[in-house]
Amino acid sequence: MSRNPNPASFFHAPKTAAELTTLMLMSPFVIGTRLTQFSMAAASPQAKDRDEVSRMLSEKMQAAGESIVAMNLATIEAMTSLAMATVFGSGRSSNHGDTILSAGLKPYSQRVRANRKRLAQ
């Protein structure tokens, strides 16, 4: 018995793909710009250089916290949705994994977009 799987079922993650594409395209620019700034300021760092390091670290911590909260809320929403679909017998098909993962990636991609815009000036 041969099965003909739907190729779209293997990769049906448009939200996650958008967030990952943002990270993939913009992160190298942000990392390269910051490393260049840090290497130029290594001999005599100014206040703005120290502020950039501080900002970089605090943004990462904030993004991690927001990511954890967003993923937990998306998981609770997915579990509630599945429970309600089971109770009421509606066979609603949804890609909850995509929703949960994209919720976790969104804080990072928002910061990368903002940093790319700010550092490009």
Side-chain angles (χ1 to χ4, degrees), residues 14-111:
K15 293 179 195 171
T16 302
E19 301 298 337
L20 287 172
T21 301
T22 298
L23 290 170
M24 179 184 68
L25 294 175
M26 295 185 183
S27 292
F29 174 80
V30 172
I31 293 167
T33 303
R34 280 183 166 161
L35 286 176
T36 302
Q37 287 177 349
F38 296 158
S39 66
M40 299 287 265
S44 60
Q46 304 294 317
K48 68 177 183 134
D49 301 319
R50 287 189 285 274
D51 290 343
E52 185 65 29
V53 171
S54 176
R55 179 183 194 146
M56 180 180 64
L57 295 174
S58 66
E59 280 181 344
K60 287 182 184 356
M61 297 299 288
Q62 289 172 347
E66 289 175 19
S67 178
I68 290 168
V69 170
M71 288 180 77
N72 283 328
L73 290 174
T75 302
I76 291 168
E77 187 176 320
M79 291 171 54
T80 304
S81 173
L82 289 172
M84 296 305 278
T86 303
V87 168
F88 293 112
S90 63
R92 201 174 132 220
S93 177
S94 179
N95 192 349
H96 294 294
D98 175 49
T99 304
I100 294 167
L101 185 56
S102 68
L105 291 172
K106 192 169 190 138
Y108 293 104
S109 62
Q110 286 174 337
R111 281 175 175 76

